[in-house]
Amino acid sequence: RWLFNQAVCTLYAFCGVLFGLCSLTSLTVLSTVCCLKVCYPAYGRCWDVLSDLCLRLFFLLTYPLPPFFFNGSDPPLLGKLSLRAPRSHYGPEPYGTACCITWKASSKEATLYILALFIFCYLLPCLLILVSYSLILWTVRVSRRAVRQH
């Protein structure tokens, strides 16, 4: 069972969701940059190291935020901090040993939040990673054929 109070559960779940999103976002940024460097080598000459790093950090830190501010779908922590009633909740997982988002939506706004989280922070990054690595494999395959024919 969860050993702490609801405030600790909320903080634990919020940090878990945010850091999980940042982790997937960092993998997405890495795969995209690798794809750009391998498939479009001229990209490396367009950016100096500092501006490239700043762009990556900005994207990494800001991309997980849109679902938290999705119109009408505050995340549970911001719902508690705002004057409005929270629209989705954090609570114990089914086994009761940890806390996360309550996936059973209790309102339309909570459903929108969960849907935005799924589309923007899971589906879109996974598709981008898949496309990036597919392009890298295709580029390597084409260059291997060119070397064999040469």
Side-chain angles (χ1 to χ4, degrees), residues 2-143:
W2 181 251
L3 299 175
F4 305 102
N5 62 11
Q6 183 61 34
V8 175
C9 178
T10 300
L11 183 63
Y12 177 87
F14 178 78
C15 289
V17 170
L18 184 63
F19 296 144
L21 294 177
C22 286
S23 176
L24 185 58
T25 304
S26 68
L27 291 173
T28 305
V29 169
L30 286 173
S31 70
T32 305
V33 169
C34 287
C35 178
L36 290 173
K37 298 286 185 179
V38 170
C39 301
Y40 306 100
Y43 169 78
R45 291 184 217 118
C46 295
W47 297 88
D48 63 339
V49 176
L50 186 59
S51 65
D52 193 33
L53 180 65
C54 289
L55 181 66
R56 288 184 207 181
L57 284 175
F58 176 76
F59 182 75
L60 177 69
L61 295 174
T62 58
Y63 186 77
L65 295 178
F68 288 105
F69 300 107
F70 193 75
N71 187 20
S73 58
D74 295 340
L77 186 64
L78 291 181
K80 288 185 182 276
L81 296 176
S82 69
L83 298 176
R84 299 183 300 215
R87 297 176 179 176
S88 53
H89 302 281
Y90 292 125
E93 293 179 339
Y95 295 111
T97 57
C99 290
C100 71
I101 294 172
T102 304
W103 296 109
K104 291 184 179 180
S106 58
S107 66
K108 185 177 93 170
E109 290 84 6
T111 303
L112 284 174
Y113 171 70
I114 292 169
L115 190 62
L117 197 64
F118 175 73
I119 291 171
F120 293 112
C121 295
Y122 180 73
L123 192 62
L124 192 62
C126 287
L127 287 174
L128 195 56
I129 290 170
L130 183 67
V131 167
S132 296
Y133 284 121
S134 297
L135 283 172
I136 290 172
L137 289 174
W138 181 73
T139 302
V140 169
R141 188 178 201 184
V142 167
S143 58

